[in-house]
Amino acid sequence: MPTQKQPTQSPATSPVARKQKKPPAPPSPERRAELLGIAAEVFAEQGYNATTVRKIADAAGMLAGSLYYHFDSKESMLEEILRTFLTELWDGYDAVLAAPLGPRETLEALVTESFREIDRHRAAVAIYQKESRHLVTQTRFEYLLESQRRFEKTWLTTLERGVSDGVFRADLDVRLTYRFVRDTVWVAASWYRPGGGHSPEEIARQYLSMVLDGIAVRA
Amino acid sequence: MPTQKQPTQSPATSPVARKQKKPPAPPSPERRAELLGIAAEVFAEQGYNATTVRKIADAAGMLAGSLYYHFDSKESMLEEILRTFLTELWDGYDAVLAAPLGPRETLEALVTESFREIDRHRAAVAIYQKESRHLVTQTRFEYLLESQRRFEKTWLTTLERGVSDGVFRADLDVRLTYRFVRDTVWVAASWYRPGGGHSPEEIARQYLSMVLDGIAVRA
Amino acid sequence: MPTQKQPTQSPATSPVARKQKKPPAPPSPERRAELLGIAAEVFAEQGYNATTVRKIADAAGMLAGSLYYHFDSKESMLEEILRTFLTELWDGYDAVLAAPLGPRETLEALVTESFREIDRHRAAVAIYQKESRHLVTQTRFEYLLESQRRFEKTWLTTLERGVSDGVFRADLDVRLTYRFVRDTVWVAASWYRPGGGHSPEEIARQYLSMVLDGIAVRA
Amino acid sequence: MPTQKQPTQSPATSPVARKQKKPPAPPSPERRAELLGIAAEVFAEQGYNATTVRKIADAAGMLAGSLYYHFDSKESMLEEILRTFLTELWDGYDAVLAAPLGPRETLEALVTESFREIDRHRAAVAIYQKESRHLVTQTRFEYLLESQRRFEKTWLTTLERGVSDGVFRADLDVRLTYRFVRDTVWVAASWYRPGGGHSPEEIARQYLSMVLDGIAVRA
DNA sequence: CATGAATGAGGTTTCATTCAT
DNA sequence: AATGAATGAAACCTCATTCAT
């Protein structure tokens, strides 16, 4: 006895296909995106677990229950936030990787692209940093693992290419270097404020300068 | 079959010391420390909010309520974990700062000391990284703020001294460099596993090499 | 078998209005008051501490957690019950005190008003009697202390005026008399049942007769 | 199968009657009484339910668990406190009732005796006032009900005798008068402090003066 | 007698979620 | 789309009680 069939029982009485009753109107994508943005802010600020749906609703100027018109659950909001971010992140990375660049230029482009993503998805990045570790244990978030593996492979390959080509130092532990660069870049999301003094490109340049040449004055 | 006779019956007949008879009356402070260690692991693994006291109790082999014989609340466990860590951290830092070192040596010593603290207090550091941002808003955790401020001042001073002395590059944004170094070091807690291949000192050396001289091959 | 049809089916066929269909959307304040009334009964019956929120919820036909939609805590329910009572009590007292009455008439009017309050707020009075002593130690309930002090002053003044005017005996300890009258009146809440044989005014008359003229036959 | 027989099982092995193991020494009655006194104070002060055994133990300078060497349970402490009080109360009342007194003298003697009991068992009386209502529902405390009934009968009889004899006013509701006198007397336990300015006999005299002759100046 | 540690039941509270309106 | 009210599971915490030492 499917719930949705109910309207079909008396279709003759209503010849005009009037808006279905149960999902009265597919919640507008714009509103969804708006609400997800708000939710992401709160998640990033307070942590996913510490964020109650009531806090999100407050921030959105509605009541907690009303969110369920737009989303299945609190978790699905989180999922959509992270998935959206990762999708766009890989769009950017893929564009970089498709270009015929040397290892050093690739690294520079990846870092720059990363800061651009931080600029656009600051909240999502912050959430990712804080929550991904324990989310990956849930089947629903397995795609995080895939992304992580691809990410690691991308960076390791780039670094190794650089070492082979003689543009990166060979005396460093590549895994350690990978973590070093990765953390260095992404942790910025915890303090970066879009619209602050620095553009993503500027920050990228400074970071690259440090990472590539070090902070010590050359002998 | 009196329970009390058991030890007298086969002290020598059971060659295997099964499960280490717990000392007759373990003085409170040691048990506290033991339990705090367990709690810290769980907090670090799952996040403070996602950790239920039941999980901690399970890990400690007791019932949830029993924890309250030793601690006032879940929060007070967190507090004690972080406070203990910060106290020891500053003991180490103060020793470094008291020594008559140049800015570069100071930076090297601070980084090395930091990795030693990560080695000793991995869980606490991980917790600190994840939770401090929203904890500082609570009066109970205001001491985190003080520590942060002192921390920042210490590092900024060291970096500025280095720039003045001409041992650090003058073309870098000092605040950005501070964050760079800070994050670089502490995020290591999220993947560092004591007893793994690298000693804290080795890791410190590699990190310092990267931070000071960069990863690019010198022109 | 739509649930909604039920009212339309037999609105007139059921002569007995069974259990008073609750209004479609009872505005919050009324529901609050209703629930507070229920809670007050249970508190009065079993004592505040012995009353579990589950008992209140049972009495209200809901689940324990549901109460928290309306109230912050069990304690805040108690607070609101007592505060409401005291507010109305003082409204009544103030009206009496504003009238140009002699001390004996004032005393009579205060006693009568008191019995009326017992009639209207029996549960709250009983709770007040049982719990106020240890509640006053909590800052949240400091207003009870203020009320008590004002209460005492009001009665002492009235009694003293009566002694000065020669309508009350001068050979009695005024403080003792105050306690005597006070207790005599309020303890009635512990056995008074509204709708019983006596109206508040009748009880007041009898009490006043005893208090003013004694129970002994005049010599 | 009396518990105490257990040691008789191996009497031959220990020719010397050494202190029994299980109940190592029947807890001394003096210590019991002392602890009960302390418990009564705390019960009276905070209410039975709000009193934790830890609070009692604190007041007694011991740990919560240690109380269980002396008493079976928190409830049994309460029971013993109330039973002791009621036993002594009825000893006093019975002595009064055995004397060949007229109704007015009986009433005076009962009231005086009551204030003496309040003087000796203030805490117990206060507890009785606060808790008896809901205790009587438990089988363990049924004796409270019996006492109450006997109490009521005693007083009603005395009052009725007085009315018959023409020493008490006939125009009063006897039940109401009973409650009036009863409450008037016992509520005093809530503010009475032994060793204060008034002896029990003095207070009794004042109370009797008010109850018998009223507070109004005789016309 | 008393302690230190633990148990286990139950209490208050929180919160994601549902649903009729 | 959103509200208001409620659910139910699970969380934190309390506390009477037990027991080996």
Side-chain angles (χ1 to χ4, degrees), chain A residues 48-118:
Chain A
Y48 174 72
N49 278 291
T51 299
T52 67
V53 300
R54 197 175 170 292
K55 279 179 192 162
I56 300 172
D58 281 355
M62 55 180 10
L63 292 180
S66 308
L67 284 171
Y68 288 79
Y69 177 77
H70 300 275
F71 305 98
D72 282 346
S73 66
K74 180 183 163 190
E75 204 184 62
S76 77
M77 300 177 79
L78 176 61
E79 217 254 14
E80 194 162 340
I81 289 165
L82 292 179
R83 187 183 294 278
T84 302
F85 156 59
L86 283 182
T87 302
E88 300 200 16
L89 174 67
W90 281 107
D91 283 353
Y93 271 28
D94 285 342
V96 167
L97 296 171
L101 302 173
R104 177 170 173 140
E105 288 71 30
T106 300
L107 181 140
E108 289 174 351
L110 286 177
V111 166
T112 305
E113 178 61 24
S114 299
F115 278 104
R116 282 202 197 100
E117 297 297 334
I118 290 174

Side-chain angles (χ1 to χ4, degrees), chain C:
Chain C
M1 214 175 292
T3 325
Q4 317 205 189
K5 291 283 159 62
Q6 214 172 345
T8 358
Q9 279 179 348
S10 57
T13 61
S14 114
V16 180
R18 50 137 140 68
K19 271 251 164 186
Q20 231 178 285
K21 277 270 125 81
K22 66 186 169 193
S28 214
E30 279 146 35
R31 186 75 173 121
R32 274 178 83 86
E34 197 183 337
L35 293 172
L36 283 178
I38 292 168
E41 289 310 327
V42 190
F43 285 153
E45 185 89 12
Q46 323 218 357
Y48 174 71
N49 279 290
T51 298
T52 67
V53 298
R54 200 174 165 291
K55 280 179 191 162
I56 300 172
D58 281 353
M62 55 181 7
L63 293 180
S66 306
L67 285 171
Y68 289 80
Y69 178 76
H70 300 276
F71 305 99
D72 283 344
S73 65
K74 181 183 162 189
E75 202 183 69
S76 78
M77 299 177 82
L78 176 62
E79 218 253 16
E80 193 162 341
I81 290 166
L82 293 179
R83 188 184 291 279
T84 301
F85 156 58
L86 284 182
T87 302
E88 298 199 16
L89 173 68
W90 280 107
D91 283 353
Y93 272 26
D94 286 340
V96 167
L97 297 171
L101 301 174
R104 178 169 171 140
E105 288 71 31
T106 300
L107 181 140
E108 289 175 352
L110 287 177
V111 166
T112 304
E113 178 60 27
S114 299
F115 279 104
R116 280 201 200 102
E117 297 296 337
I118 290 174
D119 187 50
R120 298 184 51 207
H121 296 287
R122 196 196 81 268
V125 176
I127 296 166
Y128 183 90
Q129 295 290 109
K130 241 193 281 198
E131 316 291 350
S132 67
R133 174 161 331 243
H134 67 265
L135 288 179
V136 291
T137 62
Q138 300 171 234
T139 30
R140 176 169 206 177
F141 289 96
E142 263 167 1
Y143 68 96
L144 294 180
L145 255 187
E146 288 169 46
S147 175
Q148 261 165 229
R149 289 212 195 87
R150 222 187 128 203
F151 192 90
E152 181 170 349
K153 204 175 125 214
T154 299
W155 277 93
L156 284 181
T157 304
T158 304
L159 289 172
E160 280 157 3
R161 262 211 301 147
V163 171
S164 301
D165 292 9
V167 301
F168 297 147
R169 292 166 54 189
D171 61 329
L172 297 175
D173 180 321
V174 183
R175 286 203 86 75
L176 212 60
T177 307
Y178 156 61
R179 289 194 189 114
F180 173 78
V181 177
R182 175 196 65 186
D183 297 345
T184 288
V185 168
W186 292 111
V187 185
S190 68
W191 52 261
Y192 180 71
R193 288 290 165 273
H198 309 278
S199 75
E201 287 79 8
E202 276 169 37
I203 296 189
R205 215 176 309 124
Q206 290 254 20
Y207 260 68
L208 283 168
S209 173
M210 286 189 276
V211 167
L212 290 168
D213 298 324
I215 69 172
V217 164
R218 286 157 182 263

Side-chain angles (χ1 to χ4, degrees), chain A residues 51-193:
Chain A
T51 299
T52 67
V53 300
R54 197 175 170 292
K55 279 179 192 162
I56 300 172
D58 281 355
M62 55 180 10
L63 292 180
S66 308
L67 284 171
Y68 288 79
Y69 177 77
H70 300 275
F71 305 98
D72 282 346
S73 66
K74 180 183 163 190
E75 204 184 62
S76 77
M77 300 177 79
L78 176 61
E79 217 254 14
E80 194 162 340
I81 289 165
L82 292 179
R83 187 183 294 278
T84 302
F85 156 59
L86 283 182
T87 302
E88 300 200 16
L89 174 67
W90 281 107
D91 283 353
Y93 271 28
D94 285 342
V96 167
L97 296 171
L101 302 173
R104 177 170 173 140
E105 288 71 30
T106 300
L107 181 140
E108 289 174 351
L110 286 177
V111 166
T112 305
E113 178 61 24
S114 299
F115 278 104
R116 282 202 197 100
E117 297 297 334
I118 290 174
D119 187 51
R120 297 184 51 207
H121 296 286
R122 196 196 82 267
V125 175
I127 296 167
Y128 183 90
Q129 295 290 107
K130 243 195 277 197
E131 315 290 349
S132 67
R133 175 165 325 246
H134 68 267
L135 286 179
V136 292
T137 63
Q138 299 171 234
T139 32
R140 178 171 204 174
F141 289 95
E142 264 167 359
Y143 68 96
L144 294 180
L145 254 187
E146 290 167 45
S147 175
Q148 260 165 230
R149 289 212 195 87
R150 224 189 127 202
F151 192 90
E152 182 170 348
K153 205 176 120 210
T154 300
W155 277 93
L156 284 181
T157 304
T158 305
L159 288 172
E160 281 157 2
R161 264 211 299 150
V163 170
S164 302
D165 292 8
V167 299
F168 297 148
R169 291 167 55 188
D171 61 328
L172 298 177
D173 180 319
V174 182
R175 285 203 87 74
L176 211 58
T177 308
Y178 157 60
R179 288 192 191 116
F180 174 77
V181 177
R182 174 197 65 185
D183 297 346
T184 288
V185 169
W186 292 112
V187 184
S190 68
W191 54 259
Y192 182 71
R193 288 291 164 272

Side-chain angles (χ1 to χ4, degrees), chain B residues 36 40 77-93 113-129 132 143-144 147 151 186 189:
Chain B
L36 283 178
M77 299 176 82
L78 176 62
E79 217 254 15
E80 194 163 340
I81 290 166
L82 292 179
R83 189 184 290 280
T84 302
F85 156 58
L86 283 182
T87 302
E88 299 199 16
L89 174 67
W90 281 107
D91 283 353
Y93 272 27
E113 179 61 27
S114 299
F115 279 104
R116 282 204 196 98
E117 296 297 335
I118 290 174
D119 187 51
R120 297 184 52 207
H121 297 287
R122 196 196 81 268
V125 175
I127 297 166
Y128 183 92
Q129 295 290 108
S132 68
Y143 68 96
L144 294 180
S147 176
F151 192 91
W186 292 111

Side-chain angles (χ1 to χ4, degrees), chain B residues 50-65:
Chain B
T51 298
T52 68
V53 298
R54 199 175 166 291
K55 279 179 192 162
I56 300 172
D58 281 354
M62 55 181 4
L63 293 179

